[in-house]
Amino acid sequence: MEQVRIGKTVLRLVQGDITRQAVDAIVNAANRHLAGGGGVDGAIHRAGGPVIAEECRAIRERQGGCPPGEAVVTSGGNLPARHVIHAVGPIWQGGAAGEDETLRRAYQNSLRQALACGARTVAFPSISTGAFRFPIDRAAPIALSAIADFVREHPDAFDEVRMVLYSPDDFAAYRHALARLFSAS
Ligand code: AR6
């Protein structure tokens, strides 16, 4: 299963590069210092250009960064997306340090920011499952149910929420989770 409909909103899985998505807002898997880095964060800063780092620096100076579970917004620079929502996921510490709840909040606060900037189409990467080492089989159902719950609570907000999975293995993990979560609906 690669997509489901939740009311008027499509929740879709695609395999690809998030920097190429023509949506209103893409989400970045950032760190609490909003300092840039590798992985999807590096790819977004490279493709979007220096304006994103400049806006991140202004946010850092204003509010000292972004704690895990929260999200902040910059413009998209040269990206097809108008906005970048920088979400900070949890660093995996074994699973008993509240990582599941922090991951869920990262998705929901990202959607809250998307709603606030009027984005009707939003694309997410798989937050925390790279450098932050959150196991993807555990992250996928948390990500999808966090999105689905938020969409159910805001039925007029979004046309599409897209998960953009970079590797075939990541895509397979999310497809499996989507089928399990929605098989009865
Ligand atoms: N499009 C979509 N997904 C991607 C792309 C891309 N272009 N590139 C990588 N991924 P990670 P994290 C996938 O490490 O675990 C950074 O240094 C990747 O395959 O980017 O939240 C930040 O600055 C993986 O499945 O993010 C932070 O310090 C997923 O994106 C830290 O890493 C997330 O991997 C955040 O770690």
mmCIF file of all heavy atoms in Angstrom, residues 6-59:
data_model
loop_
_atom_site.group_PDB
_atom_site.id
_atom_site.type_symbol
_atom_site.label_atom_id
_atom_site.label_comp_id
_atom_site.label_asym_id
_atom_site.label_seq_id
_atom_site.Cartn_x
_atom_site.Cartn_y
_atom_site.Cartn_z
ATOM 1 N N ILE A 6 -7.423 10.043 4.105
ATOM 2 C CA ILE A 6 -7.963 10.314 5.441
ATOM 3 C C ILE A 6 -8.854 11.533 5.267
ATOM 4 O O ILE A 6 -8.357 12.661 5.177
ATOM 5 C CB ILE A 6 -6.826 10.590 6.444
ATOM 6 C CG1 ILE A 6 -5.856 9.399 6.509
ATOM 7 C CG2 ILE A 6 -7.402 10.886 7.830
ATOM 8 C CD1 ILE A 6 -4.550 9.722 7.225
ATOM 9 N N GLY A 7 -10.151 11.325 5.176
ATOM 10 C CA GLY A 7 -11.039 12.442 4.828
ATOM 11 C C GLY A 7 -10.648 12.982 3.468
ATOM 12 O O GLY A 7 -10.566 12.232 2.489
ATOM 13 N N LYS A 8 -10.359 14.300 3.415
ATOM 14 C CA LYS A 8 -9.999 14.919 2.124
ATOM 15 C C LYS A 8 -8.499 14.860 1.858
ATOM 16 O O LYS A 8 -8.037 15.355 0.825
ATOM 17 C CB LYS A 8 -10.413 16.398 2.132
ATOM 18 C CG LYS A 8 -11.890 16.629 2.336
ATOM 19 C CD LYS A 8 -12.145 18.129 2.515
ATOM 20 C CE LYS A 8 -13.501 18.378 3.159
ATOM 21 N NZ LYS A 8 -13.539 19.665 3.873
ATOM 22 N N THR A 9 -7.738 14.351 2.792
ATOM 23 C CA THR A 9 -6.268 14.406 2.696
ATOM 24 C C THR A 9 -5.710 13.065 2.249
ATOM 25 O O THR A 9 -6.098 12.011 2.759
ATOM 26 C CB THR A 9 -5.666 14.754 4.072
ATOM 27 O OG1 THR A 9 -6.253 15.969 4.533
ATOM 28 C CG2 THR A 9 -4.154 14.915 3.993
ATOM 29 N N VAL A 10 -4.777 13.113 1.288
ATOM 30 C CA VAL A 10 -4.076 11.898 0.869
ATOM 31 C C VAL A 10 -2.773 11.804 1.668
ATOM 32 O O VAL A 10 -2.019 12.779 1.751
ATOM 33 C CB VAL A 10 -3.760 11.933 -0.643
ATOM 34 C CG1 VAL A 10 -2.916 10.725 -1.043
ATOM 35 C CG2 VAL A 10 -5.048 11.963 -1.445
ATOM 36 N N LEU A 11 -2.537 10.652 2.248
ATOM 37 C CA LEU A 11 -1.253 10.341 2.884
ATOM 38 C C LEU A 11 -0.527 9.380 1.952
ATOM 39 O O LEU A 11 -1.011 8.272 1.703
ATOM 40 C CB LEU A 11 -1.493 9.722 4.267
ATOM 41 C CG LEU A 11 -0.283 9.140 5.011
ATOM 42 C CD1 LEU A 11 0.856 10.134 5.132
ATOM 43 C CD2 LEU A 11 -0.710 8.655 6.397
ATOM 44 N N ARG A 12 0.595 9.842 1.391
ATOM 45 C CA ARG A 12 1.250 9.110 0.306
ATOM 46 C C ARG A 12 2.704 8.811 0.647
ATOM 47 O O ARG A 12 3.385 9.636 1.251
ATOM 48 C CB ARG A 12 1.212 9.976 -0.962
ATOM 49 C CG ARG A 12 1.668 9.283 -2.228
ATOM 50 C CD ARG A 12 1.857 10.266 -3.386
ATOM 51 N NE ARG A 12 0.759 11.173 -3.612
ATOM 52 C CZ ARG A 12 -0.287 10.927 -4.410
ATOM 53 N NH1 ARG A 12 -0.368 9.798 -5.058
ATOM 54 N NH2 ARG A 12 -1.221 11.830 -4.545
ATOM 55 N N LEU A 13 3.160 7.632 0.260
ATOM 56 C CA LEU A 13 4.569 7.273 0.391
ATOM 57 C C LEU A 13 5.205 7.314 -0.980
ATOM 58 O O LEU A 13 4.647 6.752 -1.929
ATOM 59 C CB LEU A 13 4.718 5.841 0.927
ATOM 60 C CG LEU A 13 3.925 5.468 2.176
ATOM 61 C CD1 LEU A 13 4.237 4.023 2.557
ATOM 62 C CD2 LEU A 13 4.240 6.412 3.328
ATOM 63 N N VAL A 14 6.358 7.978 -1.093
ATOM 64 C CA VAL A 14 7.115 7.915 -2.345
ATOM 65 C C VAL A 14 8.576 7.651 -2.000
ATOM 66 O O VAL A 14 9.045 8.003 -0.922
ATOM 67 C CB VAL A 14 7.005 9.211 -3.199
ATOM 68 C CG1 VAL A 14 5.570 9.537 -3.532
ATOM 69 C CG2 VAL A 14 7.655 10.389 -2.520
ATOM 70 N N GLN A 15 9.258 7.001 -2.948
ATOM 71 C CA GLN A 15 10.702 6.865 -2.795
ATOM 72 C C GLN A 15 11.359 7.977 -3.590
ATOM 73 O O GLN A 15 10.996 8.196 -4.755
ATOM 74 C CB GLN A 15 11.163 5.502 -3.297
ATOM 75 C CG GLN A 15 12.564 5.174 -2.799
ATOM 76 C CD GLN A 15 13.155 3.993 -3.508
ATOM 77 O OE1 GLN A 15 12.448 3.041 -3.809
ATOM 78 N NE2 GLN A 15 14.452 4.072 -3.765
ATOM 79 N N GLY A 16 12.292 8.719 -2.976
ATOM 80 C CA GLY A 16 12.931 9.785 -3.729
ATOM 81 C C GLY A 16 13.697 10.743 -2.847
ATOM 82 O O GLY A 16 14.016 10.438 -1.696
ATOM 83 N N ASP A 17 13.966 11.904 -3.442
ATOM 84 C CA ASP A 17 14.787 12.942 -2.822
ATOM 85 C C ASP A 17 13.867 14.086 -2.408
ATOM 86 O O ASP A 17 13.171 14.670 -3.245
ATOM 87 C CB ASP A 17 15.803 13.412 -3.869
ATOM 88 C CG ASP A 17 16.721 14.512 -3.359
ATOM 89 O OD1 ASP A 17 16.451 15.118 -2.310
ATOM 90 O OD2 ASP A 17 17.721 14.762 -4.050
ATOM 91 N N ILE A 18 13.867 14.424 -1.130
ATOM 92 C CA ILE A 18 12.911 15.433 -0.653
ATOM 93 C C ILE A 18 13.188 16.813 -1.248
ATOM 94 O O ILE A 18 12.274 17.623 -1.371
ATOM 95 C CB ILE A 18 12.871 15.462 0.887
ATOM 96 C CG1 ILE A 18 11.562 16.099 1.352
ATOM 97 C CG2 ILE A 18 14.083 16.168 1.472
ATOM 98 C CD1 ILE A 18 11.169 15.769 2.752
ATOM 99 N N THR A 19 14.429 17.076 -1.649
ATOM 100 C CA THR A 19 14.731 18.410 -2.197
ATOM 101 C C THR A 19 14.081 18.636 -3.563
ATOM 102 O O THR A 19 14.046 19.761 -4.047
ATOM 103 C CB THR A 19 16.260 18.642 -2.341
ATOM 104 O OG1 THR A 19 16.786 17.743 -3.312
ATOM 105 C CG2 THR A 19 16.973 18.450 -1.021
ATOM 106 N N ARG A 20 13.569 17.556 -4.174
ATOM 107 C CA ARG A 20 12.966 17.687 -5.507
ATOM 108 C C ARG A 20 11.445 17.776 -5.457
ATOM 109 O O ARG A 20 10.794 17.815 -6.494
ATOM 110 C CB ARG A 20 13.347 16.471 -6.371
ATOM 111 C CG ARG A 20 14.835 16.162 -6.351
ATOM 112 C CD ARG A 20 15.637 17.204 -7.109
ATOM 113 N NE ARG A 20 15.396 17.102 -8.535
ATOM 114 C CZ ARG A 20 16.110 16.339 -9.372
ATOM 115 N NH1 ARG A 20 17.117 15.638 -8.908
ATOM 116 N NH2 ARG A 20 15.819 16.279 -10.646
ATOM 117 N N GLN A 21 10.880 17.764 -4.271
ATOM 118 C CA GLN A 21 9.419 17.679 -4.163
ATOM 119 C C GLN A 21 8.769 19.050 -4.376
ATOM 120 O O GLN A 21 9.123 20.021 -3.702
ATOM 121 C CB GLN A 21 9.006 17.126 -2.787
ATOM 122 C CG GLN A 21 9.659 15.805 -2.428
ATOM 123 C CD GLN A 21 9.314 14.685 -3.384
ATOM 124 O OE1 GLN A 21 8.136 14.456 -3.693
ATOM 125 N NE2 GLN A 21 10.322 13.970 -3.869
ATOM 126 N N ALA A 22 7.818 19.083 -5.296
ATOM 127 C CA ALA A 22 7.079 20.322 -5.569
ATOM 128 C C ALA A 22 5.850 20.370 -4.664
ATOM 129 O O ALA A 22 4.737 20.032 -5.062
ATOM 130 C CB ALA A 22 6.686 20.375 -7.040
ATOM 131 N N VAL A 23 6.105 20.739 -3.420
ATOM 132 C CA VAL A 23 5.036 20.856 -2.420
ATOM 133 C C VAL A 23 5.171 22.229 -1.771
ATOM 134 O O VAL A 23 6.163 22.920 -1.966
ATOM 135 C CB VAL A 23 5.152 19.749 -1.345
ATOM 136 C CG1 VAL A 23 4.783 18.385 -1.911
ATOM 137 C CG2 VAL A 23 6.565 19.714 -0.739
ATOM 138 N N ASP A 24 4.193 22.623 -0.968
ATOM 139 C CA ASP A 24 4.268 23.942 -0.320
ATOM 140 C C ASP A 24 5.368 23.985 0.737
ATOM 141 O O ASP A 24 6.042 24.995 0.893
ATOM 142 C CB ASP A 24 2.921 24.278 0.339
ATOM 143 C CG ASP A 24 1.799 24.383 -0.677
ATOM 144 O OD1 ASP A 24 2.063 24.773 -1.837
ATOM 145 O OD2 ASP A 24 0.642 24.059 -0.308
ATOM 146 N N ALA A 25 5.518 22.898 1.480
ATOM 147 C CA ALA A 25 6.517 22.871 2.553
ATOM 148 C C ALA A 25 7.181 21.505 2.610
ATOM 149 O O ALA A 25 6.493 20.479 2.503
ATOM 150 C CB ALA A 25 5.869 23.183 3.899
ATOM 151 N N ILE A 26 8.510 21.504 2.766
ATOM 152 C CA ILE A 26 9.198 20.249 3.084
ATOM 153 C C ILE A 26 9.717 20.346 4.513
ATOM 154 O O ILE A 26 9.993 21.434 5.030
ATOM 155 C CB ILE A 26 10.364 19.914 2.121
ATOM 156 C CG1 ILE A 26 11.497 20.928 2.198
ATOM 157 C CG2 ILE A 26 9.850 19.756 0.700
ATOM 158 C CD1 ILE A 26 12.761 20.485 1.444
ATOM 159 N N VAL A 27 9.845 19.182 5.145
ATOM 160 C CA VAL A 27 10.352 19.110 6.509
ATOM 161 C C VAL A 27 11.801 18.646 6.447
ATOM 162 O O VAL A 27 12.154 17.761 5.667
ATOM 163 C CB VAL A 27 9.489 18.157 7.361
ATOM 164 C CG1 VAL A 27 10.049 18.028 8.782
ATOM 165 C CG2 VAL A 27 8.042 18.660 7.398
ATOM 166 N N ASN A 28 12.629 19.272 7.280
ATOM 167 C CA ASN A 28 14.031 18.894 7.411
ATOM 168 C C ASN A 28 14.212 18.134 8.717
ATOM 169 O O ASN A 28 13.583 18.461 9.717
ATOM 170 C CB ASN A 28 14.891 20.167 7.414
ATOM 171 C CG ASN A 28 16.377 19.884 7.507
ATOM 172 O OD1 ASN A 28 16.817 18.773 7.219
ATOM 173 N ND2 ASN A 28 17.145 20.887 7.906
ATOM 174 N N ALA A 29 15.088 17.116 8.705
ATOM 175 C CA ALA A 29 15.490 16.435 9.946
ATOM 176 C C ALA A 29 16.725 17.151 10.466
ATOM 177 O O ALA A 29 17.849 16.845 10.074
ATOM 178 C CB ALA A 29 15.775 14.959 9.676
ATOM 179 N N ALA A 30 16.498 18.147 11.319
ATOM 180 C CA ALA A 30 17.559 19.069 11.746
ATOM 181 C C ALA A 30 18.135 18.642 13.095
ATOM 182 O O ALA A 30 17.779 17.589 13.638
ATOM 183 C CB ALA A 30 16.976 20.486 11.836
ATOM 184 N N ASN A 31 19.019 19.462 13.629
ATOM 185 C CA ASN A 31 19.517 19.266 15.001
ATOM 186 C C ASN A 31 19.164 20.502 15.831
ATOM 187 O O ASN A 31 18.806 21.544 15.292
ATOM 188 C CB ASN A 31 21.016 18.972 15.028
ATOM 189 C CG ASN A 31 21.818 20.068 14.362
ATOM 190 O OD1 ASN A 31 21.840 21.200 14.840
ATOM 191 N ND2 ASN A 31 22.446 19.754 13.239
ATOM 192 N N ARG A 32 19.289 20.368 17.148
ATOM 193 C CA ARG A 32 18.769 21.414 18.047
ATOM 194 C C ARG A 32 19.493 22.746 17.895
ATOM 195 O O ARG A 32 18.984 23.778 18.307
ATOM 196 C CB ARG A 32 18.792 20.939 19.494
ATOM 197 C CG ARG A 32 20.170 20.642 20.034
ATOM 198 C CD ARG A 32 20.077 20.131 21.468
ATOM 199 N NE ARG A 32 19.235 21.011 22.258
ATOM 200 C CZ ARG A 32 18.442 20.620 23.270
ATOM 201 N NH1 ARG A 32 18.379 19.350 23.615
ATOM 202 N NH2 ARG A 32 17.735 21.487 23.941
ATOM 203 N N HIS A 33 20.665 22.730 17.297
ATOM 204 C CA HIS A 33 21.401 23.983 17.085
ATOM 205 C C HIS A 33 21.045 24.632 15.755
ATOM 206 O O HIS A 33 21.533 25.725 15.461
ATOM 207 C CB HIS A 33 22.901 23.715 17.147
ATOM 208 C CG HIS A 33 23.306 22.966 18.381
ATOM 209 N ND1 HIS A 33 23.174 23.501 19.645
ATOM 210 C CD2 HIS A 33 23.774 21.706 18.553
ATOM 211 C CE1 HIS A 33 23.573 22.606 20.539
ATOM 212 N NE2 HIS A 33 23.929 21.508 19.900
ATOM 213 N N LEU A 34 20.241 23.962 14.943
ATOM 214 C CA LEU A 34 19.878 24.454 13.597
ATOM 215 C C LEU A 34 21.153 24.812 12.834
ATOM 216 O O LEU A 34 21.212 25.817 12.128
ATOM 217 C CB LEU A 34 18.938 25.663 13.691
ATOM 218 C CG LEU A 34 17.657 25.450 14.503
ATOM 219 C CD1 LEU A 34 16.903 26.778 14.638
ATOM 220 C CD2 LEU A 34 16.762 24.398 13.843
ATOM 221 N N ALA A 35 22.152 23.976 13.004
ATOM 222 C CA ALA A 35 23.496 24.306 12.517
ATOM 223 C C ALA A 35 23.820 23.666 11.174
ATOM 224 O O ALA A 35 24.932 23.799 10.689
ATOM 225 C CB ALA A 35 24.523 23.871 13.552
ATOM 226 N N GLY A 36 22.879 22.963 10.584
ATOM 227 C CA GLY A 36 23.186 22.220 9.363
ATOM 228 C C GLY A 36 23.909 20.941 9.733
ATOM 229 O O GLY A 36 24.214 20.692 10.902
ATOM 230 N N GLY A 37 24.188 20.111 8.738
ATOM 231 C CA GLY A 37 24.843 18.840 9.023
ATOM 232 C C GLY A 37 24.838 17.975 7.792
ATOM 233 O O GLY A 37 24.823 18.481 6.669
ATOM 234 N N GLY A 38 24.844 16.657 7.994
ATOM 235 C CA GLY A 38 24.848 15.723 6.871
ATOM 236 C C GLY A 38 23.439 15.284 6.528
ATOM 237 O O GLY A 38 22.465 15.962 6.846
ATOM 238 N N GLY A 39 23.320 14.141 5.896
ATOM 239 C CA GLY A 39 22.023 13.531 5.605
ATOM 240 C C GLY A 39 21.092 14.462 4.856
ATOM 241 O O GLY A 39 21.504 15.242 4.002
ATOM 242 N N VAL A 40 19.827 14.389 5.220
ATOM 243 C CA VAL A 40 18.816 15.192 4.529
ATOM 244 C C VAL A 40 19.025 16.682 4.813
ATOM 245 O O VAL A 40 18.772 17.534 3.958
ATOM 246 C CB VAL A 40 17.397 14.682 4.874
ATOM 247 C CG1 VAL A 40 17.013 14.968 6.297
ATOM 248 C CG2 VAL A 40 16.379 15.231 3.916
ATOM 249 N N ASP A 41 19.532 17.014 5.991
ATOM 250 C CA ASP A 41 19.805 18.407 6.372
ATOM 251 C C ASP A 41 20.828 19.018 5.399
ATOM 252 O O ASP A 41 20.608 20.114 4.837
ATOM 253 C CB ASP A 41 20.357 18.404 7.808
ATOM 254 C CG ASP A 41 20.306 19.764 8.491
ATOM 255 O OD1 ASP A 41 19.827 20.729 7.878
ATOM 256 O OD2 ASP A 41 20.761 19.835 9.652
ATOM 257 N N GLY A 42 21.922 18.300 5.168
ATOM 258 C CA GLY A 42 22.943 18.784 4.234
ATOM 259 C C GLY A 42 22.370 18.949 2.834
ATOM 260 O O GLY A 42 22.642 19.957 2.149
ATOM 261 N N ALA A 43 21.565 17.978 2.406
ATOM 262 C CA ALA A 43 20.989 18.031 1.051
ATOM 263 C C ALA A 43 20.065 19.240 0.899
ATOM 264 O O ALA A 43 20.083 19.932 -0.131
ATOM 265 C CB ALA A 43 20.230 16.723 0.763
ATOM 266 N N ILE A 44 19.282 19.538 1.920
ATOM 267 C CA ILE A 44 18.338 20.671 1.854
ATOM 268 C C ILE A 44 19.099 21.995 1.826
ATOM 269 O O ILE A 44 18.790 22.883 1.025
ATOM 270 C CB ILE A 44 17.327 20.599 3.025
ATOM 271 C CG1 ILE A 44 16.329 19.464 2.762
ATOM 272 C CG2 ILE A 44 16.607 21.936 3.223
ATOM 273 C CD1 ILE A 44 15.394 19.144 3.928
ATOM 274 N N HIS A 45 20.126 22.142 2.653
ATOM 275 C CA HIS A 45 20.903 23.383 2.642
ATOM 276 C C HIS A 45 21.645 23.566 1.317
ATOM 277 O O HIS A 45 21.717 24.676 0.792
ATOM 278 C CB HIS A 45 21.883 23.418 3.825
ATOM 279 C CG HIS A 45 21.228 23.812 5.118
ATOM 280 N ND1 HIS A 45 21.032 25.127 5.484
ATOM 281 C CD2 HIS A 45 20.706 23.064 6.124
ATOM 282 C CE1 HIS A 45 20.431 25.170 6.669
ATOM 283 N NE2 HIS A 45 20.224 23.931 7.077
ATOM 284 N N ARG A 46 22.169 22.484 0.764
ATOM 285 C CA ARG A 46 22.869 22.592 -0.529
ATOM 286 C C ARG A 46 21.918 23.024 -1.630
ATOM 287 O O ARG A 46 22.212 23.905 -2.430
ATOM 288 C CB ARG A 46 23.506 21.243 -0.911
ATOM 289 C CG ARG A 46 24.902 21.035 -0.353
ATOM 290 C CD ARG A 46 25.602 19.871 -1.048
ATOM 291 N NE ARG A 46 24.867 18.619 -0.954
ATOM 292 C CZ ARG A 46 24.858 17.818 0.108
ATOM 293 N NH1 ARG A 46 25.560 18.133 1.169
ATOM 294 N NH2 ARG A 46 24.154 16.707 0.107
ATOM 295 N N ALA A 47 20.756 22.378 -1.656
ATOM 296 C CA ALA A 47 19.815 22.653 -2.756
ATOM 297 C C ALA A 47 19.102 23.995 -2.575
ATOM 298 O O ALA A 47 18.770 24.663 -3.554
ATOM 299 C CB ALA A 47 18.786 21.522 -2.853
ATOM 300 N N GLY A 48 18.885 24.390 -1.332
ATOM 301 C CA GLY A 48 18.120 25.620 -1.081
ATOM 302 C C GLY A 48 18.971 26.883 -1.102
ATOM 303 O O GLY A 48 18.450 27.979 -1.302
ATOM 304 N N GLY A 49 20.282 26.723 -0.850
ATOM 305 C CA GLY A 49 21.174 27.881 -0.859
ATOM 306 C C GLY A 49 21.295 28.524 0.514
ATOM 307 O O GLY A 49 20.626 28.123 1.475
ATOM 308 N N PRO A 50 22.161 29.559 0.613
ATOM 309 C CA PRO A 50 22.565 30.105 1.920
ATOM 310 C C PRO A 50 21.460 30.817 2.692
ATOM 311 O O PRO A 50 21.592 31.022 3.903
ATOM 312 C CB PRO A 50 23.699 31.084 1.566
ATOM 313 C CG PRO A 50 23.552 31.358 0.108
ATOM 314 C CD PRO A 50 22.906 30.151 -0.513
ATOM 315 N N VAL A 51 20.390 31.202 2.035
ATOM 316 C CA VAL A 51 19.330 31.925 2.756
ATOM 317 C C VAL A 51 18.752 31.070 3.893
ATOM 318 O O VAL A 51 18.361 31.598 4.943
ATOM 319 C CB VAL A 51 18.221 32.391 1.769
ATOM 320 C CG1 VAL A 51 17.465 31.225 1.171
ATOM 321 C CG2 VAL A 51 17.270 33.346 2.449
ATOM 322 N N ILE A 52 18.757 29.754 3.711
ATOM 323 C CA ILE A 52 18.179 28.884 4.752
ATOM 324 C C ILE A 52 19.053 28.935 6.008
ATOM 325 O O ILE A 52 18.547 29.110 7.122
ATOM 326 C CB ILE A 52 18.013 27.435 4.234
ATOM 327 C CG1 ILE A 52 17.044 27.423 3.044
ATOM 328 C CG2 ILE A 52 17.509 26.521 5.347
ATOM 329 C CD1 ILE A 52 16.841 26.051 2.428
ATOM 330 N N ALA A 53 20.365 28.841 5.836
ATOM 331 C CA ALA A 53 21.271 28.914 6.999
ATOM 332 C C ALA A 53 21.203 30.287 7.661
ATOM 333 O O ALA A 53 21.278 30.391 8.892
ATOM 334 C CB ALA A 53 22.697 28.591 6.575
ATOM 335 N N GLU A 54 21.047 31.332 6.847
ATOM 336 C CA GLU A 54 20.942 32.684 7.428
ATOM 337 C C GLU A 54 19.689 32.796 8.302
ATOM 338 O O GLU A 54 19.732 33.343 9.400
ATOM 339 C CB GLU A 54 20.883 33.737 6.316
ATOM 340 C CG GLU A 54 22.242 34.022 5.689
ATOM 341 C CD GLU A 54 22.118 34.644 4.298
ATOM 342 O OE1 GLU A 54 21.054 35.248 4.002
ATOM 343 O OE2 GLU A 54 23.069 34.506 3.519
ATOM 344 N N GLU A 55 18.597 32.274 7.817
ATOM 345 C CA GLU A 55 17.362 32.334 8.625
ATOM 346 C C GLU A 55 17.462 31.435 9.857
ATOM 347 O O GLU A 55 16.950 31.778 10.925
ATOM 348 C CB GLU A 55 16.152 31.960 7.761
ATOM 349 C CG GLU A 55 15.835 33.030 6.728
ATOM 350 C CD GLU A 55 14.616 32.688 5.880
ATOM 351 O OE1 GLU A 55 13.645 32.123 6.413
ATOM 352 O OE2 GLU A 55 14.648 32.987 4.672
ATOM 353 N N CYS A 56 18.142 30.298 9.718
ATOM 354 C CA CYS A 56 18.354 29.428 10.886
ATOM 355 C C CYS A 56 19.184 30.154 11.947
ATOM 356 O O CYS A 56 18.907 30.047 13.138
ATOM 357 C CB CYS A 56 19.072 28.136 10.482
ATOM 358 S SG CYS A 56 18.010 26.930 9.686
ATOM 359 N N ARG A 57 20.200 30.903 11.491
ATOM 360 C CA ARG A 57 21.041 31.629 12.440
ATOM 361 C C ARG A 57 20.221 32.689 13.175
ATOM 362 O O ARG A 57 20.356 32.863 14.391
ATOM 363 C CB ARG A 57 22.228 32.273 11.715
ATOM 364 C CG ARG A 57 23.224 32.855 12.695
ATOM 365 C CD ARG A 57 24.473 33.479 12.048
ATOM 366 N NE ARG A 57 24.823 32.923 10.771
ATOM 367 C CZ ARG A 57 24.743 33.579 9.594
ATOM 368 N NH1 ARG A 57 24.307 34.821 9.561
ATOM 369 N NH2 ARG A 57 25.109 32.993 8.477
ATOM 370 N N ALA A 58 19.334 33.351 12.464
ATOM 371 C CA ALA A 58 18.489 34.365 13.107
ATOM 372 C C ALA A 58 17.580 33.720 14.158
ATOM 373 O O ALA A 58 17.403 34.267 15.258
ATOM 374 C CB ALA A 58 17.665 35.092 12.047
ATOM 375 N N ILE A 59 17.056 32.564 13.855
ATOM 376 C CA ILE A 59 16.194 31.859 14.829
ATOM 377 C C ILE A 59 17.017 31.444 16.048
ATOM 378 O O ILE A 59 16.585 31.586 17.192
ATOM 379 C CB ILE A 59 15.515 30.633 14.174
ATOM 380 C CG1 ILE A 59 14.547 31.077 13.078
ATOM 381 C CG2 ILE A 59 14.806 29.777 15.222
ATOM 382 C CD1 ILE A 59 14.056 29.965 12.178
#
